[in-house]
Amino acid sequence: MKIRVGFGYDVHKLGEGEELWIGGIQIDHIKGSIGHSDGDVLIHAICDALLGAANLRDIGYHFPDNDPSLKGIDSKILLRKTIDLITNKGFTIGNIDSTIALQKPKLKDVIPTMQKVLADTMAIDIEDVAIKATTTEKLGFVGTEAGIAAYATVLISKH
């Protein structure tokens, strides 16, 4: 069996009046992610981690931000296509560990929903999708609420 680990990171600027999508769900907040797609930093970080682990480059290579067909796309579609890419190379997901860095709003009550949506999208067990949330103690672009960041580590294997 071949085992590989991947790491992903994504950031998006936050703006008033934009929708805030994280982990495949819309969060009610006065600010949202600015991006070419729906701006879901968690899904983008997971996609990058999966693609990297399978040595398939990165999310921007497969889903460029200058492709008009991807404008406003639901990031769950990008995640499903990423799963297809790694599956076509013979890989399956072992588990995902991720962290969202966001000053506001607090996410603890919606994390179980995110886990379910992501597990369903990837067709894996909910126990294999860990999501944590943190602030940056009001430091940096996350702390000033100018942006949001997400980190993901994945384990994939090929039998």
Side-chain angles (χ1 to χ4, degrees), residues 13 36 59 68 71-72 91 94 113 120 136-137 142:
K13 186 176 181 178
H36 185 68
I59 191 171
K71 180 70 178 155
F91 289 103
T113 304
D120 290 350
T136 59
E137 302 295 330
V142 170

PDB file of all heavy atoms in Angstrom, residues 13 36 59 68 71-72 91 94 113 120 136-137 142:
ATOM      1  N   LYS A  13     -10.079  37.398   0.840  1.00  0.00           N
ATOM      2  CA  LYS A  13     -10.425  38.690   1.411  1.00  0.00           C
ATOM      3  C   LYS A  13     -11.904  38.660   1.792  1.00  0.00           C
ATOM      4  O   LYS A  13     -12.718  38.008   1.123  1.00  0.00           O
ATOM      5  CB  LYS A  13     -10.163  39.788   0.361  1.00  0.00           C
ATOM      6  CG  LYS A  13     -10.351  41.179   0.858  1.00  0.00           C
ATOM      7  CD  LYS A  13      -9.963  42.175  -0.251  1.00  0.00           C
ATOM      8  CE  LYS A  13     -10.137  43.590   0.268  1.00  0.00           C
ATOM      9  NZ  LYS A  13      -9.735  44.570  -0.747  1.00  0.00           N
ATOM     10  N   HIS A  36     -13.400  34.210  -7.084  1.00  0.00           N
ATOM     11  CA  HIS A  36     -13.943  33.897  -8.411  1.00  0.00           C
ATOM     12  C   HIS A  36     -15.072  32.881  -8.291  1.00  0.00           C
ATOM     13  O   HIS A  36     -16.091  33.004  -8.954  1.00  0.00           O
ATOM     14  CB  HIS A  36     -12.826  33.360  -9.319  1.00  0.00           C
ATOM     15  CG  HIS A  36     -13.259  33.135 -10.729  1.00  0.00           C
ATOM     16  ND1 HIS A  36     -13.585  34.170 -11.584  1.00  0.00           N
ATOM     17  CD2 HIS A  36     -13.417  31.993 -11.441  1.00  0.00           C
ATOM     18  CE1 HIS A  36     -13.942  33.670 -12.762  1.00  0.00           C
ATOM     19  NE2 HIS A  36     -13.832  32.353 -12.695  1.00  0.00           N
ATOM     20  N   ILE A  59      -5.084  23.577  -7.053  1.00  0.00           N
ATOM     21  CA  ILE A  59      -6.454  23.921  -7.426  1.00  0.00           C
ATOM     22  C   ILE A  59      -6.492  24.945  -8.566  1.00  0.00           C
ATOM     23  O   ILE A  59      -7.347  24.866  -9.449  1.00  0.00           O
ATOM     24  CB  ILE A  59      -7.255  24.390  -6.185  1.00  0.00           C
ATOM     25  CG1 ILE A  59      -8.752  24.507  -6.491  1.00  0.00           C
ATOM     26  CG2 ILE A  59      -6.688  25.669  -5.612  1.00  0.00           C
ATOM     27  CD1 ILE A  59      -9.616  24.746  -5.271  1.00  0.00           C
ATOM     28  N   PRO A  68     -14.191  31.715 -17.114  1.00  0.00           N
ATOM     29  CA  PRO A  68     -15.529  32.268 -16.880  1.00  0.00           C
ATOM     30  C   PRO A  68     -16.575  31.217 -16.500  1.00  0.00           C
ATOM     31  O   PRO A  68     -17.545  31.528 -15.809  1.00  0.00           O
ATOM     32  CB  PRO A  68     -15.894  32.945 -18.205  1.00  0.00           C
ATOM     33  CG  PRO A  68     -14.791  32.692 -19.155  1.00  0.00           C
ATOM     34  CD  PRO A  68     -13.694  31.961 -18.448  1.00  0.00           C
ATOM     35  N   LYS A  71     -16.985  31.034 -12.685  1.00  0.00           N
ATOM     36  CA  LYS A  71     -17.394  32.232 -11.952  1.00  0.00           C
ATOM     37  C   LYS A  71     -18.606  31.902 -11.066  1.00  0.00           C
ATOM     38  O   LYS A  71     -19.641  31.440 -11.537  1.00  0.00           O
ATOM     39  CB  LYS A  71     -17.736  33.368 -12.929  1.00  0.00           C
ATOM     40  CG  LYS A  71     -18.176  34.644 -12.257  1.00  0.00           C
ATOM     41  CD  LYS A  71     -17.021  35.309 -11.543  1.00  0.00           C
ATOM     42  CE  LYS A  71     -17.466  36.634 -10.914  1.00  0.00           C
ATOM     43  NZ  LYS A  71     -16.634  37.004  -9.795  1.00  0.00           N
ATOM     44  N   GLY A  72     -18.428  32.087  -9.752  1.00  0.00           N
ATOM     45  CA  GLY A  72     -19.511  31.854  -8.799  1.00  0.00           C
ATOM     46  C   GLY A  72     -19.834  30.394  -8.541  1.00  0.00           C
ATOM     47  O   GLY A  72     -20.808  30.087  -7.842  1.00  0.00           O
ATOM     48  N   PHE A  91      -6.250   6.565  -5.841  1.00  0.00           N
ATOM     49  CA  PHE A  91      -6.167   6.933  -4.433  1.00  0.00           C
ATOM     50  C   PHE A  91      -7.537   7.003  -3.769  1.00  0.00           C
ATOM     51  O   PHE A  91      -8.531   7.344  -4.410  1.00  0.00           O
ATOM     52  CB  PHE A  91      -5.481   8.294  -4.265  1.00  0.00           C
ATOM     53  CG  PHE A  91      -4.013   8.267  -4.553  1.00  0.00           C
ATOM     54  CD1 PHE A  91      -3.523   8.768  -5.757  1.00  0.00           C
ATOM     55  CD2 PHE A  91      -3.113   7.743  -3.637  1.00  0.00           C
ATOM     56  CE1 PHE A  91      -2.172   8.749  -6.033  1.00  0.00           C
ATOM     57  CE2 PHE A  91      -1.759   7.724  -3.901  1.00  0.00           C
ATOM     58  CZ  PHE A  91      -1.284   8.228  -5.101  1.00  0.00           C
ATOM     59  N   GLY A  94      -7.955   8.695   3.377  1.00  0.00           N
ATOM     60  CA  GLY A  94      -7.891   8.101   4.710  1.00  0.00           C
ATOM     61  C   GLY A  94      -8.594   9.021   5.702  1.00  0.00           C
ATOM     62  O   GLY A  94      -9.550   8.638   6.353  1.00  0.00           O
ATOM     63  N   THR A 113     -22.351  20.384  10.904  1.00  0.00           N
ATOM     64  CA  THR A 113     -23.017  20.454   9.601  1.00  0.00           C
ATOM     65  C   THR A 113     -21.990  20.471   8.482  1.00  0.00           C
ATOM     66  O   THR A 113     -22.148  19.794   7.458  1.00  0.00           O
ATOM     67  CB  THR A 113     -23.938  21.692   9.518  1.00  0.00           C
ATOM     68  OG1 THR A 113     -24.862  21.657  10.596  1.00  0.00           O
ATOM     69  CG2 THR A 113     -24.693  21.735   8.201  1.00  0.00           C
ATOM     70  N   ASP A 120     -20.367  13.872   2.901  1.00  0.00           N
ATOM     71  CA  ASP A 120     -21.296  13.453   1.849  1.00  0.00           C
ATOM     72  C   ASP A 120     -20.753  13.791   0.461  1.00  0.00           C
ATOM     73  O   ASP A 120     -20.839  12.984  -0.460  1.00  0.00           O
ATOM     74  CB  ASP A 120     -22.665  14.113   2.038  1.00  0.00           C
ATOM     75  CG  ASP A 120     -23.427  13.572   3.239  1.00  0.00           C
ATOM     76  OD1 ASP A 120     -22.996  12.554   3.830  1.00  0.00           O
ATOM     77  OD2 ASP A 120     -24.453  14.185   3.601  1.00  0.00           O
ATOM     78  N   THR A 136      -7.214  34.558  15.412  1.00  0.00           N
ATOM     79  CA  THR A 136      -5.789  34.874  15.489  1.00  0.00           C
ATOM     80  C   THR A 136      -5.544  35.920  16.574  1.00  0.00           C
ATOM     81  O   THR A 136      -4.592  36.687  16.485  1.00  0.00           O
ATOM     82  CB  THR A 136      -5.244  35.359  14.135  1.00  0.00           C
ATOM     83  OG1 THR A 136      -5.973  36.522  13.727  1.00  0.00           O
ATOM     84  CG2 THR A 136      -5.343  34.271  13.086  1.00  0.00           C
ATOM     85  N   GLU A 137      -6.429  35.909  17.572  1.00  0.00           N
ATOM     86  CA  GLU A 137      -6.295  36.829  18.711  1.00  0.00           C
ATOM     87  C   GLU A 137      -6.173  38.286  18.252  1.00  0.00           C
ATOM     88  O   GLU A 137      -5.376  39.055  18.775  1.00  0.00           O
ATOM     89  CB  GLU A 137      -5.100  36.430  19.589  1.00  0.00           C
ATOM     90  CG  GLU A 137      -5.179  35.017  20.127  1.00  0.00           C
ATOM     91  CD  GLU A 137      -6.343  34.796  21.086  1.00  0.00           C
ATOM     92  OE1 GLU A 137      -6.751  35.735  21.782  1.00  0.00           O
ATOM     93  OE2 GLU A 137      -6.859  33.658  21.122  1.00  0.00           O
ATOM     94  N   VAL A 142      -6.547  38.178   9.448  1.00  0.00           N
ATOM     95  CA  VAL A 142      -7.684  37.458  10.020  1.00  0.00           C
ATOM     96  C   VAL A 142      -8.192  38.210  11.246  1.00  0.00           C
ATOM     97  O   VAL A 142      -9.400  38.423  11.404  1.00  0.00           O
ATOM     98  CB  VAL A 142      -7.307  35.998  10.373  1.00  0.00           C
ATOM     99  CG1 VAL A 142      -8.411  35.335  11.182  1.00  0.00           C
ATOM    100  CG2 VAL A 142      -7.029  35.200   9.109  1.00  0.00           C
TER     101      VAL A 142
END
